[in-house]
Each structure stands twice: as structure tokens, then as C-alpha cells.
Amino acid sequence: MSFKEKSTWLSLVATLLIFGDYAISVVIMDANVLNPDEMIEVAMHNLGSAVLLIIIVEIIFQSLIAAGSRNKMEIDGDERDRLITLSSNNSGYWVLSIGVIITLGHLILPYVFGIEFSLEERTNIPMFKMHLLLFTFIVAEIVRFSHQIYLYRNDAV
């Protein structure tokens, strides 16, 4: 397994575990127990903890993977690594673009068409619009990492 593939696996697992836990903590918040301000405070505290944890985990484990690599060329990668990265970045970008368009649609539909449908009112997620964009970004990263691993595993490009 190449350095880049190990690095991608680490990033995928860390993202799934850390931001998965964060997403669950936000979705299961009980509006009957916490008032809206408390929900925002808890969500922001959990988000800050998740970001700090992902930074620490990535620094420590990416350093360990790099220290275990045989040479600098393996760390830098080759043409195949660059093509895999390009292809997987495109996949993640498409997911991110679609999520941003959906979020923008959610923001402007009430003003353009007078449609009062809002997912925000149907959920207990604090700062819904921010979380919609954040979850879109996280899903885009998961798609990017997953596609990159798929290409490494199947020797595709």
C-alpha cells in the first residue's frame, strides 16, 4: 500500500468517526431539554472539539505514516497518484457543488416563489443553514476519499 493510499485511508476513517460523532450529536439534540441558545452553544462547542480533534489526529497519524515511508519519492507520489487525486477531487467537487446549489435553493425559494417549505422548521438542528453547508462539505470529503481509495484499490485511472 502506497503512502498516499495509507494517508487517504486515515483521513477517511478519521472523518467518518469524528464528524460522524459530531453529526449524530447535532441531530439527536432534544429541543424539549435545551432552549435554542443552549443548542447553539452545545453545537459550537462540539464543532470546535471535532475540528481540534481532527487536526490533532491528522497531524499525529500522518506524521507516523510519513516516518514509516521508505523514501521521499513515495511521499511525493508519481503521475498515477496525481491522476487519482485529480479524479477523486472532481468527484468531491461535484458533491460539494450540488450541496451548495441545494442550500442556495433552500435559502432563496421563500423569496423568489413565496414557498414557505423549510427543512429548518421540520428539524431540531441548531443553525440549520450552517450545518447544511458543513454536512455537504463533510459528505464531499467522504466521497473524495472513498473515490480515491477505490481508484487505488482497482489500479484505475
Side-chain angles (χ1 to χ4, degrees):
M1 193 180 304
S2 72
F3 167 77
K4 298 281 187 183
E5 186 178 355
K6 290 176 192 173
S7 174
T8 305
W9 272 108
L10 169 67
S11 295
L12 176 62
V13 170
T15 300
L16 286 171
L17 292 176
I18 294 169
F19 284 109
D21 180 60
Y22 172 72
I24 291 168
S25 75
V26 168
V27 170
I28 65 169
M29 276 191 202
D30 190 0
N32 297 323
V33 176
L34 300 171
N35 68 42
D37 290 336
E38 291 172 331
M39 289 176 71
I40 290 171
E41 186 178 325
V42 169
M44 289 298 91
H45 177 268
N46 291 349
L47 178 59
S49 298
V51 169
L52 186 61
L53 186 58
I54 196 86
I55 290 169
I56 292 169
V57 166
E58 288 281 344
I59 288 172
I60 291 171
F61 288 103
Q62 294 290 355
S63 298
L64 290 173
I65 292 172
S69 294
R70 291 181 287 256
N71 56 34
K72 186 176 179 346
M73 279 207 39
E74 183 183 9
I75 293 173
D76 292 339
D78 57 8
E79 188 64 28
R80 177 178 172 264
D81 290 321
R82 285 187 279 281
L83 289 173
I84 287 173
T85 300
L86 176 65
S87 179
S88 59
N89 283 348
N90 286 340
S91 300
Y93 176 78
W94 275 103
V95 171
L96 184 61
S97 298
I98 291 167
V100 168
I101 290 169
I102 289 170
T103 303
L104 288 173
H106 182 266
L107 291 171
I108 65 171
L109 278 179
Y111 301 106
V112 174
F113 299 110
I115 298 172
E116 291 300 323
F117 175 76
S118 175
L119 292 174
E120 188 171 5
E121 295 166 1
R122 300 182 195 293
T123 66
N124 289 327
I125 298 175
M127 299 184 311
F128 181 80
K129 294 167 185 104
M130 186 271 307
H131 279 105
L132 189 58
L133 287 172
L134 178 64
F135 293 153
T136 297
F137 173 72
I138 293 167
V139 169
E141 284 292 284
I142 290 168
V143 166
R144 182 174 70 92
F145 295 142
S146 299
H147 188 212
Q148 199 167 357
I149 290 167
Y150 171 80
L151 292 175
Y152 275 118
R153 294 277 93 199
N154 290 311
D155 287 332
V157 175

